[in-house]
Amino acid sequence: APRFARVIAVDQSGEMLRAARRRLAGVRNVEIHEARLEALPLPDASCDAAVAVLVLSYLEDPAAALREAARILRPGGRLVIVEAARHADEALRRRMGQRVSGLDEEGLRALLPKALRPVVCRALPPAPGAKGPGLFIATARRTPHGG
């Protein structure tokens, strides 16, 4: 928030929103909304950037959330995704509540609408002592004409 004029946070979890409100108490440039990522409460082409951190593998329809990200981005706007890398640990997937066992670059590219291109993906280095699947970061830009 200190680096941006305006930040809009969206989550469907009341618990996560309460935690965000506690952490952001007194911060004036952050709006917090309770909503599904598949139906964002924002106008078309209203955002310069969108960030999705560790959410896609938990959604029933991640492609719908990515279409919404494309919808709210201005032409040239950037989408940044941080996601768990594909893994084979079924017990971990169930314990974490993931619908799918992470994503890989090919799977992410298949989910992205044509309005978001090009995608650049790279693995993130694990933190010392980290457990669980690795993470990757991907970026895309909203095409000037929406696809």
Side-chain angles (χ1 to χ4, degrees):
R3 296 185 178 152
F4 299 97
R6 182 175 173 214
V7 175
I8 302 167
V10 179
D11 202 302
Q12 68 183 25
S13 164
E15 181 179 341
M16 294 300 280
L17 293 169
R18 283 187 294 280
R21 285 185 181 100
R22 281 191 304 272
R23 280 193 298 270
L24 296 167
V27 178
R28 301 274 185 242
N29 65 330
V30 178
E31 295 175 26
I32 298 175
H33 297 274
E34 184 171 355
R36 296 180 50 80
L37 296 180
E38 301 91 332
L40 294 170
L42 302 169
D44 293 356
S46 61
C47 296
D48 295 318
V51 180
V53 179
L54 297 173
V55 298
L56 296 178
S57 60
Y58 294 88
L59 298 175
E60 187 172 324
D61 188 358
L66 292 169
R67 285 191 301 274
E68 276 291 276
R71 181 187 67 76
I72 66 161
L73 286 171
R74 290 185 177 106
R78 183 175 297 262
L79 171 64
V80 178
I81 298 166
V82 176
E83 189 55 66
R86 176 139 348 260
H87 60 88
D89 189 337
E90 182 62 19
L92 175 68
R93 183 197 67 76
R94 285 193 308 273
R95 193 168 57 252
M96 292 181 67
Q98 292 178 314
R99 292 194 181 269
V100 296
S101 299
L103 292 172
D104 56 21
E105 183 174 351
E106 182 180 337
L108 177 61
R109 284 182 185 274
L111 293 171
L112 283 171
K114 289 183 176 139
L116 293 173
R117 292 290 184 257
V119 168
V120 176
C121 292
R122 69 177 175 83
L124 293 173
K131 296 179 180 166
L135 301 176
F136 71 89
I137 187 167
T139 62
R141 283 204 182 266
R142 174 78 156 64
T143 60
H145 304 292

